[in-house]
Amino acid sequence: ANNNQVVINRSSGIETLNYDALIIATGAEVSCDAVPGASQFALPFYTVEQCFELKRRLSLIDNYLEEVRASSELGQSTNVVVVGGGYSGVELALNLVDRLGSNDVQVTLVHRGKQVLEYATEHNRNAGMERLKSAGVNVMTSTSVAEVSSWDDGAHSDNMSETLRKQLCTVKLTATNESIEDEGEPENTQLATTLLLWTAGSTPTSIRNAGIRNSVLPRDAMGRILTSPTLNVANYPNVFAIGDCSRPKKVPYPGTAQVAMQMATVASWNIYATLSKKYSGREQDSLKLLPFSYLNLGEMMTLGTNDATISTLGGIELSGPAASWLRRLVYAVRMPTPGQGLFAAVDGSSRKIARGALRNARRKSKPVDWK
């Protein structure tokens, strides 16, 4: 940064890029390094690649459940554990119930706070908690994951693939120091788990001790770049940071796309103003940099295939199937281009209809009675 250069480590070798202005928007990644065994067994849920991997593992669980239903064998119990009771964790848990069904699979949501969706609006938090209860999700609050270890009791079903067996694990839970809600669970619990998903503990994206973690830029304890209200870094006026990897004030903003998109608009103007000052050479002609001010336009959450909840800036509150379709429409409108918006609307709607039909077919299906 001192020499207006960025050093990039590519597979083909080291590359150096010169810049007049630099904007860092590397986002964040889910980190489970602090819990012994979590990195080995847990699948983080943050990137597109991780979504595809989850889709692959769910297909394996589908195949296993179908084979168990078609046989007289009892089969291995199927438990899915989601760690983190924020937006992503609650949305993931509820969509898993819709995807896998609640009769054959138990979904457990583990959250270290006193309640899930702590930073959501009251309407969305209440809608989410009611939906979790009605969907049969086992919610464990004031609970932390202490350790994850291999689970192999030798009683696995022959119908279970080797890939599924390798990801079987035991999740050891402990009560936090906060007051414990009575969920009918002891303070120390061990969960035999078929699939462990991790949405808690995000840190700025990069390899350990590399990228922005290995730069001269000032960072907080979580690794986020400290910026001024105008989103540029102290002592580096032409370096800007936005999104999850930045922290422009003492109390961090929510780690949402809405915050990052608003930051991008302000940072773009401030880069233009910075470069205009540099190339005009006249201080009196320079444009003023704008401080970032977050405007919460509301929030939307999916609560399953045909359910969602919405709270807007204008005080509109909506839940249920209508909110689900409206949420899809809003995302389509916010796409960068009309083509992407049309694709998001059509593809999302067709997927929603197909998943609903598949779920209804599974509910009507009955195990084959082999004689």
Side-chain angles (χ1 to χ4, degrees), residues 141-213:
T141 55
S142 297
T143 304
S144 295
V145 178
E147 183 182 2
V148 183
S149 58
S150 176
W151 167 39
D152 188 359
D153 57 6
H156 304 310
S157 166
D158 292 335
N159 293 321
M160 182 173 289
S161 67
E162 185 64 24
T163 302
L164 274 182
R165 293 184 186 184
K166 288 182 179 180
Q167 66 192 41
L168 296 176
C169 60
T170 299
V171 180
K172 181 179 179 180
L173 305 175
T174 59
T176 63
N177 294 329
E178 301 174 354
S179 59
I180 303 172
E181 295 181 7
D182 184 12
E183 299 288 345
E185 297 284 350
E187 292 189 4
N188 294 283
T189 307
Q190 291 192 358
L191 297 179
T193 304
T194 309
L195 178 61
L196 176 61
L197 301 170
W198 205 279
T199 68
S202 62
T203 59
T205 302
S206 66
I207 302 173
R208 186 186 301 273
N209 297 325
I212 62 173
R213 298 183 192 175

Side-chain angles (χ1 to χ4, degrees), residues 201-256:
S202 62
T203 59
T205 302
S206 66
I207 302 173
R208 186 186 301 273
N209 297 325
I212 62 173
R213 298 183 192 175
N214 195 34
S215 70
V216 298
L217 303 177
R219 299 176 303 281
D220 66 4
M222 294 294 294
R224 293 170 294 204
I225 299 174
L226 300 175
T227 73
S228 69
T230 53
L231 304 181
N232 53 353
V233 182
N235 301 322
Y236 304 96
N238 59 339
V239 177
F240 296 79
I242 65 173
D244 293 350
C245 70
S246 69
R247 181 177 174 180
K249 67 172 187 174
K250 184 175 181 180
V251 179
Y253 290 107
T256 63

Side-chain angles (χ1 to χ4, degrees), residues 92-121:
L92 180 58
L94 289 172
N95 278 277
L96 284 170
V97 172
D98 272 6
R99 172 67 171 73
L100 297 171
S102 58
N103 294 329
D104 303 301
V105 178
Q106 175 63 60
V107 177
T108 297
L109 181 64
V110 178
H111 184 57
R112 65 178 302 152
K114 292 182 179 180
Q115 62 179 357
V116 298
L117 298 173
E118 293 173 276
Y119 303 108
T121 63

Side-chain angles (χ1 to χ4, degrees), residues 68-82:
V68 169
R69 294 189 191 105
S71 68
S72 58
E73 185 179 357
L74 181 61
Q76 188 73 51
S77 59
T78 304
N79 303 304
V80 178
V81 175
V82 179

